[in-house]
Amino acid sequence: MNTDAKSIIENGKAILGIEFGSTRIKAVLIDPENRPIAQGSHTWENQLVDGLWTYSVEAIWYGLQDCYADLRRNVREQYDIEIETLAAIGVSAMMHGYMAFDKDKNILVPFRTWRNTNTAKAAAELSDLFVFNIPLRWSISHLYEAILDNEEHVKDIDYLTTLAGYIHWFITGEKVLGIGDASGMLPIDPKTKNYSSEMIAKFDKLVAPRGFGWKLEDILPKVLLAGQNAGFLTPDGAKRLDVSGHLKAGIPVCPPEGDAGTGMVATNAVKPRTGNVSAGTSSFSMIVLEKDLSKPYEVIDIVTTPDGNPVAMVHCNNCTSDLNAWVNLFKEYQELLGVPVDMNEVFGKLYNHALTGQPDCGGLLSYNYISGEPVTGLADGRPLFVRSANDKFTLANFMRANLYASVGVLKIGNDILFNEEHIKVDKITGHGGLFKTKGVGQQVLAAALNSPISVMETAGEGGPWGMALLGSYLVNNDKKLSLADFLEDKVFAGNAGVEICPKPEDVAGFNAYIKNYKACLPVEEAAVKFK
């Protein structure tokens, strides 16, 4: 038993970070040195209701309570004590989406998650109006689409927030949101660190003829920076979190954040000229900018770090799912031969063998589109493998082509940043399932982005740890350090992880692959039309 951790929990010095992901709700308890000391989780799934992806309010609260109960179990098993109080709490969740409430705190329509793509008309009109790329999944797109569709509930909106903002509101009574999550509701002005007043005025003017009894600014959460006071756990909030009744009210709660922000914190990538890439079922890159882009791009979303620096985000719907499906085919073959299967060994052998393939994959191409891919303009997906009779069809080239495909779309978006906008980056950190096989995903991503890629052991702690670190920043920042300096000095202490630099021949090979990839996109488009 870790007696230090036991006394930290007993004395109320531990910090709790909770993150609502799309398939799991996770909780991490950390000590004042920012090390994880306990954890809990809850598995859940979204539902398709009336054509829209949602999670019910009941599922949200049951999930939170079950996740916290699992954390309590973990604490009791490890330390034989109960959690009575904490130094701080932080809640994060998948960003964007739409949660609209009336004046009595009743939800007006089921929560509409980031996955919904019914907002194309609204997003296109707002992008033109604002001269700023407004993605389909942003809250303002959902709101305006509801207006365009003449939805009855819109006139009754008293408050509009995200999933993290909703939970924070119900456990603290505060209608606030961390700036990173807020930047997925409506664009942020980097000078004021608040919603763009120019865009608010344009929106209000646009919808004025409809005669709603609200103005946009009045229904949005107040924007807070990391480290600012965001309220305290209320008695009702304590009961909502811990149904056993042990947890006491009065605990400071830090500004709620989005999962992109917690990923930046967990990888020490909040300073300008740093970035991180999350590569799992889907993938996204976040590059912290030194200056604004010269113009809006449909494939690049501008959000912010939890302390308000602008970030260029490239979000891809597909990453490792198709790659995993091919690996499972080899697993089946191994089972057919009667050879015992160790999936870590199967992944390791195939991934490492891919590195022996030709840098351009011998001409082979793979489209990993399990679902549609907005960056390449496809509303639906169809996994597809393409080769000509003269291509070098070897196992190494085949696996390499599938690894390239997992980050190919990400490369297309980032090529705009690096080649057209000439963005400079000193360090990019990778995290997620693609990097589990040591060194391989790193080398592939380094070739794709033509940039050194680092992987840290702590990156595996993920979003709830990043959220707990924001809680720590609220209560353990005696020296009033910036968030970047706090992470550098107090959390990572110079640990930059293991870095892999791109090889010139791999960069040239990936560029040749992506040239062919773009040229053959009409083949993928044609495949999508056939069921």
Side-chain angles (χ1 to χ4, degrees):
M1 184 194 293
N2 182 339
T3 51
D4 284 351
K6 181 175 180 176
S7 65
I8 284 161
I9 296 168
E10 279 183 317
N11 294 322
K13 300 290 187 192
I15 295 157
L16 173 62
I18 299 169
E19 182 154 288
F20 284 70
S22 53
T23 58
R24 283 177 80 207
I25 304 169
K26 291 187 272 191
V28 170
L29 211 57
I30 64 171
D31 65 17
E33 302 299 311
N34 304 304
R35 293 172 301 220
I37 52 176
Q39 58 190 12
S41 70
H42 169 82
T43 301
W44 70 338
E45 283 292 342
N46 53 191
Q47 264 75 47
L48 191 61
V49 178
D50 296 329
L52 293 170
W53 291 105
T54 188
Y55 300 86
S56 70
V57 165
E58 293 76 20
I60 291 167
W61 291 110
Y62 175 74
L64 178 66
Q65 288 159 3
D66 190 55
C67 177
Y68 185 83
D70 193 43
L71 174 76
R72 277 183 58 233
R73 272 193 295 276
N74 187 248
V75 167
R76 283 202 309 275
E77 284 166 10
Q78 285 194 83
Y79 311 113
D80 196 30
I81 50 170
E82 277 289 354
I83 307 167
E84 301 286 346
T85 188
L86 296 158
I89 298 172
V91 178
S92 62
M94 51 192 128
M95 290 173 68
H96 322 300
Y98 184 79
M99 296 192 85
F101 299 87
D102 66 17
K103 61 181 181 354
D104 298 319
K105 296 175 81 168
N106 299 308
I107 194 162
L108 291 165
V109 288
F111 167 36
R112 296 170 181 177
T113 79
W114 62 272
R115 282 190 74 182
N116 291 296
T117 54
N118 63 308
T119 55
K121 189 170 191 294
E125 286 189 23
L126 291 176
S127 296
D128 287 343
L129 178 71
F130 294 157
V131 197
F132 191 102
N133 178 42
I134 303 296
L136 273 64
R137 60 186 185 278
W138 280 20
S139 305
I140 194 70
S141 297
H142 284 277
L143 174 62
Y144 188 47
E145 190 63 44
I147 292 169
L148 291 177
D149 295 342
N150 296 308
E151 292 195 40
E152 183 66 22
H153 77 271
V154 175
K155 68 180 189 324
D156 299 320
I157 296 174
D158 185 67
Y159 186 46
L160 179 65
T161 190
T162 64
L163 178 54
Y166 164 63
I167 295 154
H168 184 95
W169 174 35
F170 268 67
I171 66 172
T172 66
E174 300 290 337
K175 292 180 173 180
V176 300
L177 200 57
I179 192 168
D181 204 2
S183 70
M185 292 195 79
L186 184 76
I188 295 290
D189 182 336
K191 293 187 183 68
T192 63
K193 309 283 191 198
N194 204 342
Y195 303 115
S196 165
S197 55
E198 181 191 348
M199 294 183 201
I200 284 177
K202 282 182 175 179
F203 185 87
D204 283 339
K205 186 179 177 187
L206 177 69
V207 302
R210 307 241 177 192
F212 298 126
W214 49 261
K215 289 276 197 286
L216 183 57
E217 197 166 18
D218 300 333
I219 64 170
L220 291 173
K222 182 184 175 188
V223 178
L224 295 178
L225 301 177
Q228 288 186 319
N229 175 19
F232 299 88
L233 188 68
T234 62
D236 178 61
K239 286 190 197 117
R240 281 178 175 275
L241 191 55
D242 180 11
V243 291
S244 75
H246 284 91
L247 192 65
K248 295 180 175 61
I251 300 164
V253 186
C254 68
E257 263 301 347
D259 50 358
T262 59
M264 288 185 257
V265 171
T267 53
N268 193 18
V270 298
K271 263 187 196 161
R273 294 174 67 116
T274 65
N276 79 86
V277 169
S278 171
T281 306
S282 62
S283 70
F284 57 83
S285 63
M286 316 284 293
I287 307 295
V288 188
L289 302 172
E290 292 180 286
K291 58 182 175 56
D292 290 342
L293 301 184
S294 64
K295 62 179 183 181
Y297 295 90
E298 199 176 334
V299 301
I300 297 169
D301 308 342
I302 301 298
V303 291
T304 79
T305 63
D307 56 346
N309 284 319
V311 176
M313 179 181 192
V314 176
H315 185 277
C316 311
N317 284 358
N318 302 284
C319 186
T320 57
S321 296
D322 190 47
L323 179 60
N324 292 344
W326 283 113
V327 172
N328 280 325
L329 208 62
F330 290 109
K331 170 197 160 211
E332 278 189 50
Y333 175 66
Q334 202 167 320
E335 287 170 339
L336 201 61
L337 293 178
V339 179
V341 172
D342 174 343
M343 283 311 287
N344 286 331
E345 185 184 21
V346 174
F347 273 103
K349 292 272 191 201
L350 289 171
Y351 276 32
N352 280 291
H353 189 56
L355 296 184
T356 69
Q358 292 169 271
D360 67 349
C361 308
L364 310 182
L365 289 173
S366 174
Y367 295 89
N368 64 338
Y369 298 179
I370 300 283
S371 65
E373 195 52 81
V375 173
T376 48
L378 286 156
D380 290 303
R382 186 77 67 248
L384 185 69
F385 189 82
V386 182
R387 69 184 179 104
S388 71
N390 298 323
D391 291 337
K392 304 291 186 292
F393 191 43
T394 66
L395 179 59
N397 283 344
F398 174 80
M399 284 308 302
R400 193 174 183 114
N402 282 292
L403 279 164
Y404 276 19
S406 67
V407 293
V409 178
L410 199 68
K411 174 180 171 57
I412 291 169
N414 279 277
D415 278 352
I416 293 171
L417 290 175
F418 298 137
N419 301 339
E420 295 181 33
E421 290 286 334
H422 307 292
I423 297 301
K424 296 286 182 278
V425 64
D426 299 325
K427 178 174 173 266
I428 297 176
T429 304
H431 55 114
L434 184 66
F435 305 104
K436 277 184 183 168
T437 300
K438 196 172 177 182
V440 179
Q442 251 180 296
Q443 194 166 319
V444 168
L445 186 61
L449 302 187
N450 191 16
S451 173
I453 304 295
S454 299
V455 170
M456 290 186 275
E457 282 183 30
T458 50
E461 307 289 354
W465 182 60
M467 195 63 231
L469 295 180
L470 288 170
S472 180
Y473 182 62
L474 176 71
V475 294
N476 292 330
N477 186 22
D478 306 336
K479 295 182 180 174
K480 303 292 180 221
L481 298 172
S482 69
L483 179 60
D485 288 344
F486 177 82
L487 293 175
E488 193 62 50
D489 298 353
K490 301 286 187 186
V491 180
F492 294 94
N495 173 21
V498 177
E499 185 178 86
I500 287 181
C501 291
K503 297 176 182 174
E505 62 272 24
D506 286 350
V507 174
F510 211 127
N511 285 338
Y513 173 91
I514 215 72
K515 187 178 176 186
N516 289 337
Y517 184 98
K518 288 178 180 174
C520 280
L521 272 169
V523 180
E524 171 65 21
E525 287 170 20
V528 165
K529 291 172 187 168
F530 294 94
K531 293 294 179 193

